[in-house]
Each structure stands twice: as structure tokens, then as C-alpha cells.
Amino acid sequence: MFNNEYDVIVVGAGHAGSEAAAAAANMGASTLLITMNLQTIGQMSCNPAMGGIAKGQIVREIDALGGLSGIVSDKSAIQFKMLNQSKGPAMWSPRTQNDRMRFAEEWRLQLEAIEHLDFYQDMVAGLLIDGDRICGVRTSLGLEIKSRAVVLTNGTFLNGLIHIGDKQFGGGRAGESASVGITGDLLNLGFEAGRMKTGTPPRVDGRSLDYSKMEPQPGDVRTSKFSYSNKTSALKHQRDCHMTYTSPEVHDLLREGFDRSPMFNGRIQSIGPRYCPSIEDKINRFADKERHQIFVEPEGWDTVEVYVNGFSTSLPEDVQFKALRSVVGFENVKFFRPGYAIEYDYFPPTQLKHTLETKLISNLYFAGQINGTTGYEEAASQGLMAGINAVRKLREEDAFILRRDEAYIGVLIDDLITKGTEEPYRMFTSRAEYRTLLRQDNADLRLTPRAVELGIVSDEALKRVERKAAESEKMIQFLRDTSYDFEELNPILKSKESAVVDQNDKLFKILARPQMALEDLLGLSPIATYVAANDLDEDILEQVEVHVKYAGYIDKEIANADKLSRLENVKIPDNYDFHKIKALSYEAREKFTSIRPVTISQASRISGVKPSDISILLVHMGR
């Protein structure tokens, strides 16, 4: 069946695996995607949504780099929201509510349309190793399939164990079996492994809910989308979500089951996501809170299934049911399935290079939850980068690595391999020191030119980006050069409670005022004429406004990033003996030896390393 050697085998077809397989195959590499169930390709295992705080930026970056998550999200969206619009544009984050079934269907259709991609349904039970190099996989049916590179994206399936109250059983997801064998092979090869936990809430029958008692949560009036391409369009119709709350009564009912909770009776000892706690964890940690928000999210356009966001739990099913029936609007709720927690194996990501290739085994790549991350978006971005780098290494081309000032994806991967993680890692805007540069609106300007160089994005996309950049710069200069008529402007200033003016001056100065938006000024004669004459779309106008209002912050971050890049250029030789530098602190020597930083900049970001250690290292590097 598999006489020919593949270039790349991708194990697992979740968000990481789907992006990895698409990237490798679209670059022309012969690729095999192996999954335990072909019907669950691109499955949304937890909430039916994409994007959100910092995660929306990642989806846009994936799209700018030729990935498919943005397109799939747009085509299956049932609601769109731009979060954090009351804050500066560095914080704006797009989010879609999605149709779970259509999301998976769209991923399947997108992947099946890729020429060099094959599929096979089986469980990968082991790895084929030749010395220190991967050369294929072994399946549960005993097949040995050869390849030049392997990308592992096993999600929560590696020795997965599901907990519901005092019941536990093997599984990688509800109704699906766990994956066994790979962990043992990796441990025998010298890898270090650990256990993590995540959870999911009950799914319920929407027909049994009373939405009239809940607060509607509609999407944005002016919708947008993730993908910069013309392959998708913004939503014209949307479905509402709803919000309700727990209460002291609900909390008391939940506490009755704490003695049967695997979280509190010691059955679960692994660490769960701090920023997405279970309902029992919230009640325990925030005992002073009388209520917690519950978001009631439809699972699709036509289904009655509802996702109870904010009620993740591993309590016994009878306790879940009794407590949820005390939530306003849920008095007659019917369960589709109870919530559960799942424990699974992961491999501390300090064992990886920036390319996501493992340090121990050549041409073996890890992406997604196997690296200790949580979230579809984080997983998808790793899959994309692993797929790209696997193919580039096979072709003996330079590695594709994104710096921290280039992309949230760069921040994510650098955090993982430099600092590691002992809890499920989730991306936040606060993790990015250059977040004013890494906005959701400019991911195409930042990354599409690089993707074109890699051959994974079309020239048409580059032309679109070049026009956006050129027209934005042109209009900014127009605002600097063109004056307003103060008599025409003053009524607008009064309506926005901004100080009126008594003489003509440049448009740039007025738009720079915090009270003024470009939308408010589109009626002014010079701006209206300019926009109409140049046929400018909303993307360009958004770029112009952000640059006018935040030029000082942007320039400052660019300067800081330039300083960082100087340290990025100071390379540390392979296999450098840090122990011979006696002036280094003991902790620095141990950390440097373990993590093997490749630049001084990376070394400076390792936890526990002091500025004095970096100064000493610079001296020894001859700087």
C-alpha cells in the first residue's frame, strides 16, 4: 500500500495537523495525513469559536502566511465580533462564532482540494528511527510507512484519560479512543514528558432553554472577516449568543459534589489552563464572587445543540445537571452530553528548535498541544510553521523563523522553546512586547511579502498588499499636506465635543486628536474627494487612521525592535561549552546548557538569566 517514501507525514488532523499538512503539500512536498478518524478532520473539540484576544491576531497571521484557518473560519462563521474596540488598535481582536459541523466539513474540503496530499485512517503506534533521524511511522495495523520528515500533532490523544466525577476511561476526546505507543517510543529516545489537563462544559438542547430570561449577545453591526483574500466575504446575517449567570445556589449545589470531583480528590494531579478554569475551580478560587458569567453559544446555523461556555467541569454528571438547572434560563435544561476533563501527555517544548524540529531527532517536528499549548489558534500556527520548516529543511533551504517583533506566532514559539511551560500556554496581547506593531489589521503587510518569498502565497496577494501599503502612505502624506476649512470643520468638532479652531490647518493634526475618528471626517470636502477619486477600501482607511493616531508609539517600538535585532545577530556557536565561563552564574550555565540558545537575544529571555550573565556572554562572544 505504501511502497513510496513520502516527503512529510503528519500525524493527527486537528488544527495543527491540518495546517501542517496543507502547508507541506501546497509547497509541493508529497504529504500523508494520518488520523484515527477521517470524519473528525478539523474538529472543534471545545468551543465553537475562532479568534479572540490575541488569538484573532494569530488567525490573521496564519492567513497572511497562506494558511487556511482564516478562510475556514470565515466560511463557517455564524457571528463576528471585533473585541476590545474601546481600547487602542493594538488590542483589537477579531472573533467568530462558528458552525461546528460546517467548520470540520470546510477543512475536509479544503484539504481534499490540495494536489500533493494523501489521507489514511489508522492510529500511529510508533516511530521509525534510523540513528538520530526519523524515517517514518508504524501504525496499529502493523504498517510501516516511510518518510523523510514527520510532524506529530497528537492533541489530547497521547495516553488521553477522560474524567467525569469518579469515573475515568481512556480517550482522546468524547467518543474517541486514546493514542498509545508514541509516548513510549519518545521516552526511549531520551525525551522528557509530562501530563497536562484541559476540560470542556456540557452540551445541551437549545429547545429546553428559556432565552427570554437571558441577555442577548449579538454580533457586530458592521461585520468583517479573518481572511485578507477575496475567497470569503463578511457575514450578512448572524446568530445571537446569550449570557446568563450562576448564583450562590448554583455554587452550593456544585460544592456538594466536590468530594467526588477528580480535581479535589487527587485523581487529577496534572495542571490545567489557568486562564480557562473549570466552574468548580472558579468557585474554589474566587469564593467571594456571588456569580460567574455563562455564555450560551449555538453550535451552528441549524442545530439545536448549545455550548455552555464558562461551565467547564469534571464533576459527576448528576451534580452538573442539578446545578445547571438552577441557572437562570436553564430550569428545564436537557443534556446532550456532560462536561468532562481530560489528561494527556505533552513534551516540554524546550526540547525543540525555533523551527519546531526536535533537538534529539532530526526531521521530527512537534506542533500543538504536544508542546503544552492550549487553543485552536496556537495549535494551527505551530502546525503551519512546522509544515513549512519541514519542507524547507528537506530542500536544504534556510529555516523560516519569525522574530518577536514580526508576529504573535514568533512570540508564541520563542516563549515555548526559550521559557518552556508547566501549564497549558495561552497567547495574550500582554505577552508581546511589540503589540503596537503586531496588530490584527496589518498582519498582511508584515507577513505576506515573506510568504511570497517562500512560494506559499500568490503574486496576486502580494499586489494587494503592495497597493494597501502604497495607498496608505499616499493618504497619510495627503493629510500632512492638505488643509481643512475651519468653518466646515467646526460643526464636526462640536458634535464630538472637541475644541473648535479659528484658522485653517493640516488635516493630520485634527485626525490625531483622540476624540476624532477618520469616519467623522469623511464628509469634509478634501477627504471625501480624495477617497472617492482613489477608490479606497476600509482596510486602507483603517491603516491610515492607526498610523496617524499612534505614530509615536509605533516609531518607539520600531526603535526598540531594532535594538533587539542587534542581539539577534550575535550568534552563539553550536555545542558551545558554557561551563567553561566561570563568571556566569550557576543557574545561567545550567539553563544555557539545557536550552542551547542560538543567539544572545534568545539567551537574554531565558527565565532566571541576569543582565550580568548576558554582559559576560557578550564579552566571550567577542562583543
Side-chain angles (χ1 to χ4, degrees):
M1 289 176 64
F2 296 103
N3 289 328
N4 296 327
E5 180 185 49
Y6 282 95
D7 290 325
V8 180
I9 289 177
V10 177
V11 180
H15 298 258
S18 296
E19 286 287 7
N26 278 327
M27 292 175 75
S30 61
T31 306
L32 176 66
L33 179 60
I34 305 181
T35 175
M36 293 166 65
N37 186 352
L38 284 169
Q39 305 309 311
T40 55
I41 286 176
Q43 177 85 339
M44 295 180 121
S45 305
C46 199
N47 63 320
M50 286 291 284
I53 306 301
K55 295 166 174 281
Q57 282 88 328
I58 290 177
V59 178
R60 287 233 160 131
E61 290 176 352
I62 291 170
D63 184 77
L65 287 168
L68 296 173
S69 288
I71 291 171
V72 171
S73 299
D74 288 344
K75 289 194 171 187
S76 61
I78 64 174
Q79 187 189 90
F80 178 90
K81 274 191 174 183
M82 184 67 75
L83 306 182
N84 276 346
Q85 290 195 77
S86 62
K87 300 179 180 179
M91 305 296 286
W92 298 351
S93 302
R95 182 183 189 271
T96 55
Q97 200 71 34
N98 293 83
D99 186 310
R100 187 187 298 276
M101 290 185 288
R102 293 185 185 182
F103 186 93
E105 177 189 36
E106 190 58 44
W107 254 121
R108 175 78 176 256
L109 295 173
Q110 292 285 336
L111 291 171
E112 288 185 356
I114 299 174
E115 181 180 356
H116 299 284
L117 182 57
D118 291 345
F119 303 84
Y120 189 63
Q121 180 172 295
D122 199 350
M123 183 180 79
V124 171
L127 306 175
L128 304 179
I129 305 294
D130 181 9
D132 63 352
R133 183 178 67 86
I134 192 85
C135 59
V137 300
R138 183 179 64 257
T139 76
S140 61
L141 293 177
L143 295 174
E144 292 192 351
I145 310 175
K146 297 296 182 68
S147 70
R148 300 168 64 202
V150 172
V151 182
L152 294 184
T153 70
N154 302 83
T156 60
F157 283 77
L158 288 180
N159 292 326
L161 185 64
I162 291 174
H163 297 265
I164 303 176
D166 48 14
K167 306 178 183 73
Q168 55 180 226
F169 46 92
R173 190 160 50 205
E176 299 179 60
S177 60
S179 171
V180 296
I182 291 177
T183 295
D185 277 8
L186 291 173
L187 290 174
N188 289 335
L189 290 168
F191 284 90
E192 175 191 349
R195 295 283 278 178
M196 280 190 177
K197 172 192 87 78
T198 190
T200 191
R203 312 294 207 278
V204 303
D205 189 336
R207 297 170 298 182
S208 65
L209 305 181
D210 187 348
Y211 293 103
S212 68
K213 296 180 178 179
M214 306 180 197
E215 302 172 19
Q217 301 287 302
D220 290 348
V221 174
R222 181 186 295 176
T223 59
S224 185
K225 60 194 186 84
F226 280 118
S227 182
Y228 294 99
S229 73
N230 56 11
K231 296 177 182 178
T232 64
S233 56
L235 284 170
K236 291 182 173 61
H237 307 287
Q238 303 185 72
R239 279 204 68 176
D240 284 355
C241 296
H242 288 80
M243 185 168 68
T244 184
Y245 300 89
T246 62
S247 64
E249 179 189 2
V250 174
H251 298 178
D252 288 342
L253 290 170
L254 290 168
R255 286 191 187 96
E256 290 178 9
F258 277 13
D259 61 328
R260 297 161 62 199
S261 166
M263 274 188 56
F264 296 114
N265 62 19
R267 284 183 181 270
I268 294 179
Q269 296 185 341
S270 50
I271 299 172
R274 184 193 313 184
Y275 304 103
C276 188
S278 64
I279 187 64
E280 55 263 43
D281 199 19
K282 283 191 275 191
I283 292 170
N284 189 52
R285 284 166 53 189
F286 308 107
D288 57 319
K289 300 285 186 184
E290 291 193 350
R291 67 177 192 172
H292 295 283
Q293 292 176 330
I294 301 292
F295 291 97
V296 185
E297 302 178 346
E299 296 260 340
W301 285 114
D302 305 312
T303 181
V304 298
E305 188 172 359
V306 167
Y307 181 87
V308 190
N309 195 342
F311 207 86
S312 176
T313 182
S314 58
L315 286 165
E317 63 273 25
D318 59 313
V319 176
Q320 295 183 33
F321 180 69
K322 189 176 177 182
L324 201 52
R325 279 214 158 186
S326 295
V327 172
V328 173
F330 281 74
E331 293 84 358
N332 298 304
V333 69
K334 295 179 181 178
F335 272 34
F336 273 11
R337 75 171 193 225
Y340 62 88
I342 181 167
E343 289 185 287
Y344 56 93
D345 293 338
Y346 86 104
F347 290 80
T350 50
Q351 301 171 100
L352 304 176
K353 303 174 184 177
H354 269 95
T355 58
L356 299 180
E357 182 185 22
T358 67
K359 295 174 182 176
L360 282 175
I361 301 297
S362 179
N363 293 0
L364 174 62
Y365 296 77
F366 292 172
Q369 284 176 290
I370 191 172
N371 291 336
T373 59
T374 181
Y376 308 144
E377 304 81 4
E378 291 90 340
S381 67
Q382 293 171 68
L384 175 71
M385 296 298 285
I388 291 171
N389 277 307
V391 175
R392 287 185 68 79
K393 186 177 183 194
L394 295 180
R395 294 175 177 169
E396 298 183 352
E397 296 173 344
D398 291 340
F400 180 57
I401 296 170
L402 294 170
R403 299 191 311 269
R404 295 181 72 90
D405 63 313
E406 288 183 296
Y408 272 92
I409 297 173
V411 175
L412 166 69
I413 293 174
D414 187 64
D415 277 355
L416 290 174
I417 71 158
T418 301
K419 300 175 182 176
T421 184
E422 295 180 354
E423 64 182 27
Y425 179 101
R426 180 179 179 182
M427 179 53 71
F428 291 101
T429 51
S430 59
R431 295 191 191 272
E433 56 270 53
Y434 304 110
R435 55 185 173 273
T436 306
L437 302 180
L438 310 182
R439 305 183 308 277
Q440 55 82 30
D441 60 87
N442 70 351
D444 55 343
L445 297 175
R446 290 184 277 119
L447 300 175
T448 296
R450 296 204 62 185
V452 172
E453 293 172 5
L454 296 173
I456 53 178
V457 169
S458 68
D459 289 338
E460 179 187 347
L462 182 61
K463 288 177 184 175
R464 189 171 58 248
V465 168
E466 288 174 339
R467 178 179 184 271
K468 180 177 176 180
E471 291 293 345
S472 299
E473 286 297 323
K474 185 179 167 185
M475 185 171 177
I476 290 169
Q477 193 58 49
F478 165 79
L479 295 173
R480 291 185 187 278
D481 296 340
T482 307
S483 297
Y484 54 77
D485 178 341
F486 77 91
E487 291 183 345
E488 183 186 18
L489 176 64
N490 277 336
I492 299 173
L493 295 178
K494 287 179 182 177
S495 70
K496 302 301 293 185
E497 298 182 351
S498 187
V500 296
V501 292
D502 56 9
Q503 60 183 15
N504 299 345
D505 204 344
K506 303 303 181 187
L507 289 164
F508 190 96
K509 290 184 179 180
I510 290 299
L511 182 54
R513 291 188 180 189
Q515 307 95 330
M516 304 305 297
L518 183 54
E519 185 178 19
D520 303 322
L521 303 176
L522 291 177
L524 285 177
S525 337
I527 294 182
T529 303
Y530 183 90
V531 171
N534 292 277
D535 189 27
L536 302 182
D537 57 32
E538 288 189 14
D539 281 354
I540 293 171
L541 297 179
E542 185 177 28
Q543 284 299 301
V544 170
E545 181 163 11
V546 168
H547 276 271
V548 170
K549 288 187 174 298
Y550 296 91
Y553 297 101
I554 292 171
D555 290 344
K556 184 177 179 181
E557 287 200 357
I558 290 173
N560 288 338
D562 287 343
K563 292 177 184 176
L564 174 74
S565 67
R566 294 173 204 163
L567 291 181
E568 289 286 0
N569 292 329
V570 183
K571 305 294 184 183
I572 300 174
D574 291 341
N575 301 316
Y576 190 82
D577 184 3
F578 296 100
H579 286 286
K580 72 182 182 182
I581 307 178
K582 302 302 181 185
L584 284 175
S585 67
Y586 176 79
E587 184 174 10
R589 276 179 275 162
E590 292 297 310
K591 292 280 180 69
F592 291 159
T593 302
S594 171
I595 295 172
R596 309 300 312 177
V598 295
T599 67
I600 295 291
S601 179
Q602 185 191 355
S604 71
R605 295 190 293 272
I606 296 174
S607 299
V609 171
K610 297 179 244 178
S612 58
D613 293 319
I614 299 303
S615 297
I616 292 165
L617 200 55
L618 278 168
V619 170
H620 281 265
M621 294 295 111
R623 304 303 273 291

